[in-house]
Amino acid sequence: MSSFRQGCVIALIVSGAMTTPAHSEAVWPDDQWAQRDPADAGLDPAVLQDVATYLGGRGCVVRAGYLVYAWGDVAKRGDVASAVKPWFSTLLFLAVESGRLESLDTPMASFEPRLTEINPDLDHKDRGITFRHAANQTSCYGVREKPGAAFDYNDWQMALFSSTLIEKIYGATWDTADRVVLGPLLADILECEDAPTLIAFGPEGRRGRLGISPRDFARFGLLYLRGGAWRGQPVLTPEHARMAVSSPLPPDLPRTSGELAEMIPGQTSLGSERIPDNQTDHFGSYSWLWWVNGVDRDGKRMWPDAPLDVFCALGHKNGQRGIAVIPSLDLVLSWNDTTLGDRPEQPHPLNAVFRMLGRAAQ
């Protein structure tokens, strides 16, 4: 294990995110969040107002299981774009834990045999794509590298991954995905208030985009903050909950060269429709479709003013939509429709948010 990965694991263990304590006295939301004033939760309300002003849009802050601050309409569902992706890695872990899938290293071709037929000029490389590759964006589906050889943030492969999960592993259709998969496996367990959906949001023809309210997305963050447990009962194993947010890709893993390779005929996309799709680097900070506070090839940290243990689900430019979980602060921040996409990309505008949250907790 690299020294950076060891550092991440140590930071998370110290923060308490890596264990599943007996939460008999912990606060959990029922069909509504229990609320507390920010000051009573140890947060400066004036600084939280600065966070809301900086972000715009709508969102909420949860600390120690209480909803302590909100701005805008936190009950309104909206598309969260790529912030849906950790929900799919979670469904993958649940498939393994329930025995629906033998292993994270099972070839995807076991469920999608058309992968065995494409790219004969590249020795049918896609036969080697595993679910582990897909859930770390290293499948190299649609580009010429072999699976695992490079990172390719690619919405065609995410559509392949999500549809294989929903349709082949769980036996649903996109029209029944909410009732058969999302509800019983996650939304119902988390007692969501605003009916999250995988089928009613996102651009036409791009199924699998999550429509969810900020206050419901915060429940998903709380699940991971509490080590995969809900009301003291494991939803995910602690091992999978830990691994999901503490296993960043190594900084020296190359980004794809972006040379086009064959995809399955009729392949859809989760979002981007560029061919080939090659949206961003991993910056040493991508872990099972979560973004963590890693270090890139040049030794630069993703968010230098944030705690080492922060992890995020981010959608659209600069993370306009998403959640951040900070175990060392016992805090979840959830937001949507923000102005982050209008800000310069460097330094990453979320760094300022994390700096403010640190001040709020002093």
Side-chain angles (χ1 to χ4, degrees), residues 45-296:
V47 179
L48 295 184
Q49 177 60 57
D50 291 341
V51 171
T53 300
Y54 179 88
L55 288 172
R58 50 204 173 87
C60 60
V61 178
V62 169
R63 194 173 207 199
Y66 290 97
L67 182 67
V68 299
Y69 192 84
W71 70 98
D73 186 353
V74 296
K76 179 183 177 182
R77 295 185 303 176
D79 178 29
V80 295
S82 288
V84 66
K85 291 172 182 175
W87 291 70
F88 290 130
S89 55
T90 302
L91 290 174
L92 174 64
F93 298 141
L94 292 173
V96 173
E97 293 174 17
S98 65
R100 291 176 177 271
L101 183 66
E102 181 178 359
S103 165
L104 296 171
D105 296 307
T106 298
M108 286 188 69
S110 300
F111 292 86
E112 180 44 88
R114 291 177 295 175
L115 286 171
T116 67
E117 302 167 2
I118 58 176
N119 290 308
D121 58 321
L122 298 174
D123 297 323
H124 296 283
K125 71 178 186 70
D126 302 278
R127 295 175 179 178
I129 295 174
T130 67
F131 285 94
R132 182 185 299 271
H133 291 136
N136 283 281
Q137 302 259 35
T138 60
S139 71
C140 298
Y141 176 68
V143 294
R144 294 185 67 84
E145 289 95 345
K146 292 182 179 180
F151 178 78
D152 184 23
Y153 194 98
N154 178 332
D155 282 346
W156 302 94
Q157 87 95 35
M158 281 306 306
L160 174 68
F161 173 47
S162 59
S163 63
T164 302
L165 274 174
I166 297 297
E167 298 175 339
K168 305 297 180 63
I169 293 178
Y170 285 107
T173 66
W174 281 116
D175 288 336
T176 64
D178 291 349
R179 175 171 54 83
V180 175
V181 182
L182 181 64
L185 294 181
L186 284 171
D188 295 347
I189 293 171
L190 304 183
E191 303 168 83
C192 289
E193 300 175 64
D194 304 310
T197 176
L198 287 170
I199 62 176
F201 285 79
E204 183 69 26
R206 280 171 265 187
R207 309 301 288 274
R209 298 279 284 254
L210 180 65
I212 192 168
S213 67
R215 65 183 183 182
D216 276 352
F217 210 162
R219 293 171 183 259
F220 184 70
L222 184 63
L223 172 68
Y224 274 88
L225 179 63
R226 299 273 172 87
W230 195 260
R231 298 195 179 282
Q233 299 300 313
V235 178
L236 283 175
T237 65
E239 294 76 17
H240 279 149
R242 176 188 309 121
M243 180 179 70
V245 297
S246 65
S247 308
L249 296 171
D252 59 356
L253 180 73
R255 182 177 175 179
T256 178
S257 62
E259 297 179 60
L260 182 65
E262 183 183 8
M263 293 188 288
I264 292 170
Q267 179 64 62
T268 60
S269 172
L270 190 69
S272 169
E273 294 189 306
R274 289 175 290 190
I275 299 178
D277 198 21
N278 174 16
Q279 298 177 45
T280 186
D281 190 28
H282 58 81
F283 306 110
S285 297
Y286 206 61
S287 177
W288 295 95
L289 308 180
W290 291 93
W291 289 99
V292 301
N293 199 11
V295 175
D296 68 13

Side-chain angles (χ1 to χ4, degrees), residues 265-337:
Q267 179 64 62
T268 60
S269 172
L270 190 69
S272 169
E273 294 189 306
R274 289 175 290 190
I275 299 178
D277 198 21
N278 174 16
Q279 298 177 45
T280 186
D281 190 28
H282 58 81
F283 306 110
S285 297
Y286 206 61
S287 177
W288 295 95
L289 308 180
W290 291 93
W291 289 99
V292 301
N293 199 11
V295 175
D296 68 13
R297 298 178 188 87
D298 299 322
K300 296 179 180 178
R301 193 165 292 284
M302 186 77 163
W303 301 296
D305 295 328
L308 292 182
D309 61 357
V310 64
F311 53 94
C312 302
L314 303 176
H316 284 156
K317 182 181 176 183
N318 292 337
Q320 288 173 261
R321 318 167 197 286
I323 58 168
V325 181
I326 308 179
S328 53
L329 297 181
D330 199 6
L331 185 147
V332 179
L333 173 68
S334 178
W335 65 90
N336 206 333
D337 293 333

